[in-house]
Amino acid sequence: MHKVHKGLTADGAGLAGDRVVAQGSAARVLVAATARALRGEDCADLGHTGPASRFPGAPEPVRRAAVSRAAGRVALTVDQVGEVDAARVARWFVDQYPRRSYPGVLIGSPHGAAAHLAVALGVPWLPAGFEMTAHWSDGAVDRPGAALEHGGALADRLLAGNPDVHLRQVHCPASRGPLTGVTVSLAARWRVLPAAYAQFLTERLSAGAPVLLVRDGRTWPVSERGPGHSFQVGCPASGLDPVDFHPDSHALRQVLRAVGGNVAQWAPPEVSAPSGDAEHGMESGFELAARDFASRQGHPLHRVLAPRPAALSAGVADLYRRWLRTAGKTGDRLVVECGRLLDPWQVIRAGLVPYWCENATRRSVDEAEWWLAGSEAFSSVDVLPEPPGMRSPALAGLPQWLAVAGFGRRRRALDRTSARGYPVTSVPTRRATEVLRAQPYDLPAPPPLGAAEALSVLRDSGGHQGLLVS
C-alpha cells in the first residue's frame, strides 16, 4: 500500500511556492497557462523578458554578465534551500485552479501539448515535480564535478525536510548557457502523491472521473550520488546526444566556447546508470501511489507514455483537428508554439490546431516538419519560435522556422518580434497571447472532449509516433 505523505515542515512554514519554483520553468508556466484557460482567460499577464533581450547587439561577455546578475537575483540562497517545503509547492499548484468540480485531471511530466489536452478536456494539469535554481557563487560552466559537489550539499539541506522527493541535478551549458556557471539547477520529483494532490482528487473530481498520467519516456546517463539525489551532465532538451558531452566532442567545444568555458577543464562524474530517466521523468513511487489512490477512490487511471515530446505534440494536434471538425469548424489553421510561447485559451478562442515544440533545437523543428509533411495541408500556419537567449550548435536557424511556416497554403507567418535578435534575445510568454489575439474569433468553442474519445484518438494517431496509451 502506497501512502500519501505530508511534508515534515510545519504547516504554513517554509518558502512560498511562488518563490521556490524557478521563474520560466516548464511546470510553472504550464500550470499558470492551464489555470487561466479554465477560467476563460489568456496569458496576457504571464512572463517578463530576460536580461538578454536588453542587450541583443552587445558583446558576448557583456550579455553573459547581465544574464548571470539577473539569475543571481532570483535564485535561492543556500539558506533558502533549507526552507523549501515541497508540500507547500504542491498546494500552490492546486490553488491556482478554480474551485469547482472537474471531469478528470492530467498529472505528470511537463509538456505543452498536455496543457492543451487538459484544456480541451476541461480539466486541470498538475506536474509530478518542479524545478528550482540555487546560487553557486564560485561556480563555472566547465566544472561539472564541482557542480555535483555543491549540489550535493544543497540536496542534503533540502532532503532533510523533504524526504518524499528525489532531486535530479542538471548541469547543461548547452541548454542553460552561462547560468550553468552561477546557479545549480535542481528538478524535484515527488516519490509519493503530495497531500495537496490527494485532497484535490478527493474534493474536486466528479465521481468516476478519470486520472491521466502523462510520462516523459526519455532516458539519459545518470550519476547516482546517494539516496534522493542524482546528477546528469547535459539533457535531452539541449538537442544534443549524451556523447556530445564527452570531452572530445566538437559540439561540446562549441558550446563551452560560446558561454566562456574551457573544454580542458571538463571532467564529468562517472555515470552509474547509462539509461536512467531524464530530468522530466516520473518517479515510479509517484505513479504507483497515484494508481493506488485512484483505485481506492473509484477513478480509472490511464497512462500516456511519450518516448519523445514530438509524439505527444503530434497526437494532440491531430486530436484538436478532429475535435474542431466534429464541431463544424475547419480545423485548418495551425499555430506552431515553442517552449513558453503558448496560450491555450487563445487557441480555443480562435479555433486553432496547436503543435508544440519543446524548444528551438533543430531536433524539435525537424519533428514538426516531418509531422506537417505527413498531414493534410493547413490553409494557414503561424510560427512562434522562442529565442533561447544563447547560441548553440543544436539550434534551428530562422530559415528552418520559415520552412515550417511555408507549409501553409494561404497564410505563412513567422512572428517578427520573436525572430528579431534570434537566438540571443528572449521574449515573454505573453508574446504568444499578443500574436494569437490578432487571429479572428471562431466561437463558440467546441463542447469539452470526453476522456474516452481523446484516448482513443491518441491511440490511433499517436501509435505510429511511438505514443503508448493504456
Side-chain angles (χ1 to χ4, degrees):
M1 180 71 69
H2 294 267
K3 298 180 180 180
V4 176
H5 295 260
K6 296 183 179 179
L8 299 184
T9 308
D11 187 31
L15 296 176
D18 180 70
R19 179 67 184 93
V20 172
V21 183
Q23 296 284 340
S25 61
R28 184 184 185 115
V29 170
L30 294 178
V31 168
T34 307
R36 281 162 174 74
L38 293 181
R39 292 196 297 266
E41 301 172 4
D42 61 24
C43 298
D45 63 332
L46 276 189
H48 59 279
T49 54
S53 64
R54 299 194 293 271
F55 303 93
E60 284 297 319
V62 174
R63 292 185 58 259
R64 288 199 296 266
V67 169
S68 298
R69 286 195 300 269
R73 287 194 290 269
V74 297
L76 298 173
T77 65
V78 173
D79 289 338
Q80 287 175 329
V81 168
E83 299 174 25
V84 170
D85 181 2
R88 190 173 183 185
V89 172
R91 172 60 59 190
W92 179 65
F93 283 139
V94 301
D95 284 349
Q96 294 184 51
Y97 287 100
R99 294 185 176 276
R100 61 174 185 250
S101 179
Y102 293 101
V105 65
L106 264 73
I107 306 177
S109 303
H111 195 294
H116 284 296
L117 176 59
V119 172
L121 295 170
V123 306
W125 174 83
L126 295 171
F130 57 94
E131 294 175 67
M132 300 167 284
T133 58
H135 281 277
W136 186 19
S137 57
D138 58 346
V141 295
D142 50 17
R143 292 167 53 208
L148 173 57
E149 182 178 352
H150 182 68
L154 296 174
D156 290 342
R157 295 175 68 92
L158 191 145
L159 293 170
N162 299 276
D164 292 336
V165 301
H166 181 97
L167 287 180
R168 171 62 59 78
Q169 183 180 346
V170 181
H171 187 85
C172 184
S175 62
R176 300 189 66 236
L179 299 184
T180 318
V182 294
T183 61
V184 167
S185 176
L186 299 171
R189 305 191 304 219
W190 281 291
R191 299 196 293 186
V192 298
L193 193 67
Y197 284 19
Q199 182 181 1
F200 183 90
L201 298 179
T202 301
E203 297 178 356
R204 307 256 196 110
L205 289 193
S206 305
V211 175
L212 276 62
L213 285 182
V214 179
R215 182 167 187 163
D216 185 336
R218 290 177 292 182
T219 61
W220 198 262
V222 173
S223 302
E224 297 288 349
R225 174 183 175 270
H229 179 213
S230 56
F231 181 87
Q232 67 183 62
V233 171
C235 65
S238 68
L240 299 174
D241 295 317
V243 69
D244 293 319
F245 292 91
H246 189 275
D248 294 332
S249 165
H250 176 66
L252 178 65
R253 287 196 293 272
Q254 289 182 290
V255 167
L256 292 179
R257 189 182 306 117
V259 296
N262 182 357
V263 73
Q265 299 187 57
W266 186 263
E270 185 176 350
V271 169
S272 55
S275 297
D277 284 341
E279 70 276 13
H280 290 314
M282 184 186 299
E283 291 293 308
S284 58
F286 180 91
E287 180 173 348
L288 290 172
R291 285 185 180 277
D292 287 349
F293 189 86
S295 177
R296 293 197 305 270
Q297 297 292 323
H299 297 291
L301 186 142
H302 302 277
R303 184 173 183 257
V304 179
L305 176 65
R308 61 191 193 287
L312 185 58
S313 294
V316 170
D318 290 337
L319 173 65
Y320 258 71
R321 195 171 208 179
R322 186 177 303 190
W323 178 45
L324 292 169
R325 288 182 169 177
T326 300
K329 302 179 184 297
T330 66
D332 210 21
R333 294 184 297 136
L334 175 72
V335 57
V336 178
E337 303 166 324
C338 180
R340 296 171 300 142
L341 295 185
L342 79 170
D343 191 323
W345 172 246
Q346 285 295 336
V347 165
I348 294 290
R349 177 201 62 77
L352 300 172
V353 174
Y355 181 98
W356 182 77
C357 292
E358 182 182 32
N359 48 40
T361 60
R362 279 195 308 274
R363 184 170 296 167
S364 291
V365 184
D366 283 346
E367 296 267 23
E369 289 186 283
W370 279 111
W371 173 74
L372 276 163
S375 300
E376 179 186 338
F378 288 88
S379 63
S380 73
V381 177
D382 282 77
V383 179
L384 301 171
E386 182 188 22
M390 56 173 284
R391 301 184 190 278
S392 166
L395 291 178
L398 284 178
Q400 188 175 5
W401 284 110
L402 285 167
V404 173
F407 279 91
R409 292 197 314 269
R410 298 191 183 93
R411 173 181 166 85
R412 308 170 185 89
L414 177 75
D415 178 45
R416 292 184 178 182
T417 298
S418 300
R420 190 179 301 125
Y422 178 96
V424 297
T425 56
S426 60
V427 293
T429 296
R430 64 173 176 267
R431 179 57 195 164
T433 305
E434 294 165 357
V435 172
L436 296 180
R437 276 181 172 178
Q439 294 281 347
Y441 277 80
D442 194 2
L443 295 174
L449 269 170
E453 178 186 359
L455 292 170
S456 176
V457 174
L458 289 176
R459 284 191 196 96
D460 292 342
S461 66
H464 69 283
Q465 295 272 358
L467 198 66
L468 299 178
V469 181
S470 59

